[in-house]
Amino acid sequence: DVKVTQSSRYLVKRTGEKVFLECVQDMDHENMFWYRQDPGLGLRLIYFSYDVKMKEKGDIPEGYSVSREKKERFSLILESASTNQTSMYLCASTPGGHEKLFFGSGTQLSVL
Amino acid sequence: DQQVKQNSPSLSVQEGRISILNCDYTNSMFDYFLWYKKYPAEGPTFLISISSIKDKNEDGRFTVFLNKSAKHLSLHIVPSQPGDSAVYFCAASARTGNQFYFGTGTSLTVIP
Protein backbone atom coordinates (compact mmCIF):
# COMPACT_ATOMS: atom_id res chain seq x y z
CA ASP A 1 0.00 0.00 0.00
CA VAL A 2 1.05 3.53 -0.72
CA LYS A 3 2.17 5.40 2.31
CA VAL A 4 2.20 9.16 2.58
CA THR A 5 3.76 10.25 5.84
CA GLN A 6 3.47 13.70 7.35
CA SER A 7 6.05 14.42 10.01
CA SER A 8 3.73 15.87 12.67
CA ARG A 9 0.08 15.26 13.56
CA TYR A 10 -0.20 18.36 15.74
CA LEU A 11 1.92 21.47 15.78
CA VAL A 12 1.69 24.69 17.78
CA LYS A 13 3.70 27.69 16.64
CA ARG A 14 3.89 31.38 17.43
CA THR A 15 3.11 34.23 15.06
CA GLY A 16 6.14 35.13 12.98
CA GLU A 17 7.87 31.78 13.29
CA LYS A 18 9.12 29.94 10.22
CA VAL A 19 7.34 26.60 9.99
CA PHE A 20 8.33 23.50 8.04
CA LEU A 21 5.84 20.77 7.25
CA GLU A 22 7.38 17.63 5.82
CA CYS A 23 5.80 14.97 3.65
CA VAL A 24 7.31 11.74 2.36
CA GLN A 25 5.77 9.17 0.00
CA ASP A 26 7.15 5.72 -0.61
CA MET A 27 5.70 4.80 -4.02
CA ASP A 28 7.83 6.79 -6.43
CA HIS A 29 4.90 9.05 -7.33
CA GLU A 30 5.53 11.87 -9.75
CA ASN A 31 3.02 14.37 -8.40
CA MET A 32 2.75 15.71 -4.88
CA PHE A 33 0.33 18.25 -3.44
CA TRP A 34 -0.24 20.40 -0.38
CA TYR A 35 -3.80 21.27 0.59
CA ARG A 36 -5.31 23.00 3.57
CA GLN A 37 -8.72 22.12 4.91
CA ASP A 38 -10.90 24.63 6.70
CA PRO A 39 -14.52 24.20 7.81
CA GLY A 40 -16.93 25.20 5.06
CA LEU A 41 -14.14 25.77 2.57
CA GLY A 42 -13.22 22.20 1.69
CA LEU A 43 -9.74 21.33 0.47
CA ARG A 44 -7.88 24.18 -1.13
CA LEU A 45 -4.70 23.61 -3.10
CA ILE A 46 -1.67 25.55 -1.92
CA TYR A 47 1.09 24.19 -4.18
CA PHE A 48 1.81 21.11 -6.20
CA SER A 49 4.86 19.56 -7.81
CA TYR A 50 4.99 17.26 -10.83
CA ASP A 51 8.72 16.60 -10.72
CA VAL A 52 11.80 17.16 -8.62
CA LYS A 53 12.57 20.87 -8.27
CA MET A 54 9.36 21.71 -10.16
CA LYS A 55 6.48 23.48 -8.46
CA GLU A 56 3.24 25.14 -9.44
CA LYS A 57 1.08 27.53 -7.44
CA GLY A 58 -2.33 26.37 -6.48
CA ASP A 59 -5.30 28.48 -5.50
CA ILE A 60 -3.91 29.95 -2.25
CA PRO A 61 -0.08 30.13 -2.41
CA GLU A 62 0.30 33.45 -0.58
CA GLY A 63 2.37 33.13 2.58
CA TYR A 64 3.68 29.69 1.62
CA SER A 65 6.58 28.23 -0.29
CA VAL A 66 7.56 24.65 -1.12
CA SER A 67 10.62 22.58 -1.75
CA ARG A 68 11.06 19.32 -3.63
CA GLU A 69 14.71 18.36 -3.69
CA LYS A 70 14.03 14.61 -3.84
CA LYS A 71 11.20 12.79 -5.56
CA GLU A 72 9.83 11.28 -2.38
CA ARG A 73 9.83 14.44 -0.25
CA PHE A 74 7.71 17.57 -0.56
CA SER A 75 8.02 20.27 2.07
CA LEU A 76 5.66 23.14 2.80
CA ILE A 77 7.18 26.25 4.36
CA LEU A 78 5.33 29.02 6.13
CA GLU A 79 7.78 31.87 5.91
CA SER A 80 6.29 33.87 8.78
CA ALA A 81 3.36 32.11 10.40
CA SER A 82 0.19 34.07 10.99
CA THR A 83 -2.96 33.21 12.92
CA ASN A 84 -4.97 32.86 9.69
CA GLN A 85 -2.72 29.94 8.75
CA THR A 86 -4.15 27.89 11.59
CA SER A 87 -5.57 24.95 9.69
CA MET A 88 -5.38 21.25 8.84
CA TYR A 89 -2.64 20.70 6.27
CA LEU A 90 -2.86 17.68 4.02
CA CYS A 91 -0.17 16.26 1.78
CA ALA A 92 -1.07 13.97 -1.12
CA SER A 93 0.62 12.14 -3.96
CA THR A 94 -0.36 10.43 -7.18
CA PRO A 95 1.56 8.69 -9.95
CA GLY A 96 -0.02 11.07 -12.46
CA GLY A 97 -2.61 10.64 -15.15
CA HIS A 98 -6.02 9.47 -14.00
CA GLU A 99 -4.89 7.91 -10.76
CA LYS A 100 -6.36 8.67 -7.38
CA LEU A 101 -4.74 10.88 -4.79
CA PHE A 102 -3.25 9.26 -1.71
CA PHE A 103 -3.35 11.45 1.38
CA GLY A 104 -1.26 11.62 4.51
CA SER A 105 -2.85 11.77 7.97
CA GLY A 106 -2.68 15.53 8.08
CA THR A 107 -1.01 18.08 10.33
CA GLN A 108 -3.23 20.23 12.52
CA LEU A 109 -1.31 23.49 12.84
CA SER A 110 -2.22 26.10 15.41
CA VAL A 111 -0.57 29.51 15.17
CA LEU A 112 -0.88 31.53 18.37
CA ASP B 1 -14.48 30.44 -8.60
CA GLN B 2 -15.50 27.06 -7.23
CA GLN B 3 -15.43 24.54 -10.08
CA VAL B 4 -16.75 21.70 -7.93
CA LYS B 5 -19.69 22.34 -5.62
CA GLN B 6 -21.37 20.41 -2.89
CA ASN B 7 -24.41 22.43 -1.99
CA SER B 8 -25.47 20.45 1.05
CA PRO B 9 -23.15 21.06 3.99
CA SER B 10 -24.80 18.33 6.04
CA LEU B 11 -27.08 15.33 5.77
CA SER B 12 -28.69 13.09 8.40
CA VAL B 13 -29.95 9.62 7.58
CA GLN B 14 -31.35 6.73 9.60
CA GLU B 15 -29.24 3.60 9.81
CA GLY B 16 -30.21 1.12 7.07
CA ARG B 17 -31.58 3.80 4.76
CA ILE B 18 -29.99 5.22 1.62
CA SER B 19 -27.65 8.21 1.80
CA ILE B 20 -27.41 10.33 -1.35
CA LEU B 21 -24.65 12.91 -1.57
CA ASN B 22 -24.60 15.30 -4.49
CA CYS B 23 -21.91 17.16 -6.37
CA ASP B 24 -22.00 19.60 -9.29
CA TYR B 25 -19.18 20.79 -11.50
CA THR B 26 -18.79 23.55 -14.04
CA ASN B 27 -15.74 22.61 -16.11
CA SER B 28 -16.66 20.45 -19.11
CA MET B 29 -13.01 19.34 -19.40
CA PHE B 30 -13.31 17.28 -16.21
CA ASP B 31 -13.30 13.61 -17.08
CA TYR B 32 -12.37 11.83 -13.86
CA PHE B 33 -14.32 12.08 -10.63
CA LEU B 34 -13.60 10.76 -7.16
CA TRP B 35 -15.23 10.58 -3.75
CA TYR B 36 -13.25 10.75 -0.53
CA LYS B 37 -14.32 10.15 3.04
CA LYS B 38 -12.75 12.04 5.93
CA TYR B 39 -12.92 11.51 9.66
CA PRO B 40 -11.89 14.34 12.02
CA ALA B 41 -8.13 14.71 12.51
CA GLU B 42 -7.38 12.18 9.76
CA GLY B 43 -6.49 12.42 6.09
CA PRO B 44 -9.13 11.74 3.43
CA THR B 45 -9.43 8.16 2.25
CA PHE B 46 -10.43 7.21 -1.27
CA LEU B 47 -13.88 5.67 -1.68
CA ILE B 48 -14.77 5.33 -5.32
CA SER B 49 -14.11 6.94 -8.68
CA ILE B 50 -15.72 7.19 -12.09
CA SER B 51 -14.44 8.05 -15.53
CA SER B 52 -16.52 10.15 -17.89
CA ILE B 53 -16.88 7.22 -20.27
CA LYS B 54 -19.16 5.58 -17.69
CA ASP B 55 -22.35 6.72 -16.02
CA LYS B 56 -22.25 4.37 -13.04
CA ASN B 57 -19.69 2.62 -10.91
CA GLU B 58 -20.36 0.32 -7.97
CA ASP B 59 -18.22 -0.93 -5.13
CA GLY B 60 -20.09 -2.80 -2.44
CA ARG B 61 -22.46 -0.44 -0.65
CA PHE B 62 -21.18 2.56 -2.63
CA THR B 63 -22.38 3.59 -6.08
CA VAL B 64 -21.43 6.72 -7.97
CA PHE B 65 -23.63 8.04 -10.75
CA LEU B 66 -22.45 10.54 -13.35
CA ASN B 67 -24.75 12.72 -15.46
CA LYS B 68 -22.44 14.50 -17.88
CA SER B 69 -25.12 16.57 -19.56
CA ALA B 70 -26.15 17.99 -16.18
CA LYS B 71 -22.55 18.13 -14.91
CA HIS B 72 -23.72 16.31 -11.81
CA LEU B 73 -22.57 13.30 -9.87
CA SER B 74 -23.96 11.59 -6.82
CA LEU B 75 -22.78 9.04 -4.30
CA HIS B 76 -25.29 6.50 -3.00
CA ILE B 77 -24.59 4.55 0.16
CA VAL B 78 -26.91 1.61 0.76
CA PRO B 79 -27.50 0.60 3.48
CA SER B 80 -26.09 3.44 5.56
CA GLN B 81 -24.22 2.47 8.71
CA PRO B 82 -23.17 4.56 11.73
CA GLY B 83 -19.52 4.10 10.73
CA ASP B 84 -20.30 5.99 7.53
CA SER B 85 -20.66 9.18 9.56
CA ALA B 86 -17.91 11.43 8.18
CA VAL B 87 -17.32 14.31 5.81
CA TYR B 88 -17.50 13.34 2.13
CA PHE B 89 -15.65 15.27 -0.55
CA CYS B 90 -16.10 14.96 -4.27
CA ALA B 91 -13.19 15.82 -6.54
CA ALA B 92 -12.63 16.20 -10.25
CA SER B 93 -9.72 16.36 -12.62
CA ALA B 94 -9.06 16.79 -16.32
CA ARG B 95 -6.77 14.59 -18.39
CA THR B 96 -5.04 17.71 -19.65
CA GLY B 97 -4.00 18.89 -16.19
CA ASN B 98 -2.34 17.73 -12.97
CA GLN B 99 -4.74 19.28 -10.50
CA PHE B 100 -7.64 17.86 -8.55
CA TYR B 101 -10.47 20.20 -7.64
CA PHE B 102 -12.43 19.49 -4.49
CA GLY B 103 -15.89 20.43 -3.31
CA THR B 104 -16.51 21.93 0.13
CA GLY B 105 -17.70 18.65 1.59
CA THR B 106 -20.92 17.19 3.02
CA SER B 107 -21.03 16.05 6.61
CA LEU B 108 -23.02 12.82 6.80
CA THR B 109 -24.51 11.65 10.09
CA VAL B 110 -26.02 8.19 10.21
CA ILE B 111 -28.37 7.87 13.16
CA PRO B 112 -28.51 4.44 14.82
Side-chain angles (χ1 to χ4, degrees):
Chain A
D1 270 356
V2 174
K3 194 159 185 185
V4 180
T5 304
Q6 293 185 231
S7 52
S8 305
R9 291 296 299 271
Y10 300 94
L11 214 50
V12 180
K13 296 291 181 181
R14 297 215 172 269
T15 303
E17 279 192 77
K18 192 167 185 175
V19 182
F20 294 85
L21 301 183
E22 306 287 342
C23 176
V24 177
Q25 50 94 3
D26 65 358
M27 282 301 289
D28 203 36
H29 284 175
E30 301 292 329
N31 299 345
M32 297 188 74
F33 303 79
W34 275 106
Y35 290 89
R36 63 178 279 179
Q37 185 210 352
D38 300 287
L41 297 177
L43 274 66
R44 293 182 292 166
L45 182 64
I46 305 171
Y47 268 97
F48 69 99
S49 168
Y50 52 89
D51 202 351
V52 174
K53 297 191 186 294
M54 305 302 288
K55 60 185 179 185
E56 293 276 351
K57 291 180 180 179
D59 300 319
I60 50 164
E62 298 78 18
Y64 303 95
S65 62
V66 290
S67 171
R68 194 167 181 201
E69 296 296 319
K70 293 185 178 181
K71 192 174 186 180
E72 68 270 18
R73 187 179 296 270
F74 192 34
S75 303
L76 179 69
I77 304 147
L78 285 68
E79 299 291 343
S80 177
S82 63
T83 54
N84 63 13
Q85 291 178 311
T86 291
S87 186
M88 166 71 90
Y89 289 87
L90 294 160
C91 176
S93 72
T94 179
H98 274 14
E99 294 288 338
K100 62 191 179 190
L101 278 172
F102 294 84
F103 281 91
S105 302
T107 297
Q108 181 62 53
L109 173 67
S110 296
V111 182
L112 307 177
Chain B
D1 197 22
Q2 196 82 18
Q3 297 191 56
V4 178
K5 297 178 184 179
Q6 294 175 257
N7 292 318
S8 298
S10 62
L11 176 68
S12 289
V13 170
Q14 288 289 135
E15 181 178 3
R17 296 289 191 99
I18 184 171
S19 295
I20 300 176
L21 295 92
N22 294 303
C23 180
D24 297 294
Y25 62 96
T26 57
N27 190 338
S28 57
M29 298 299 292
F30 289 153
D31 58 0
Y32 182 53
F33 304 90
L34 311 92
W35 284 94
Y36 282 84
K37 175 180 178 179
K38 188 181 183 300
Y39 293 117
E42 293 185 13
T45 53
F46 171 77
L47 263 181
I48 192 167
S49 63
I50 188 166
S51 163
S52 61
I53 61 172
K54 293 185 171 183
D55 54 18
K56 177 182 172 182
N57 190 25
E58 275 183 271
D59 185 1
R61 295 186 297 114
F62 302 93
T63 303
V64 57
F65 294 92
L66 176 62
N67 182 333
K68 290 184 288 293
S69 60
K71 294 191 178 68
H72 177 83
L73 64 155
S74 60
L75 174 69
H76 293 210
I77 306 173
V78 183
S80 301
Q81 299 173 354
D84 296 329
S85 297
V87 177
Y88 290 78
F89 292 98
C90 68
S93 71
R95 187 171 293 280
T96 52
N98 286 312
Q99 286 197 48
F100 290 77
Y101 297 86
F102 282 81
T104 51
T106 297
S107 178
L108 173 66
T109 301
V110 179
I111 303 163

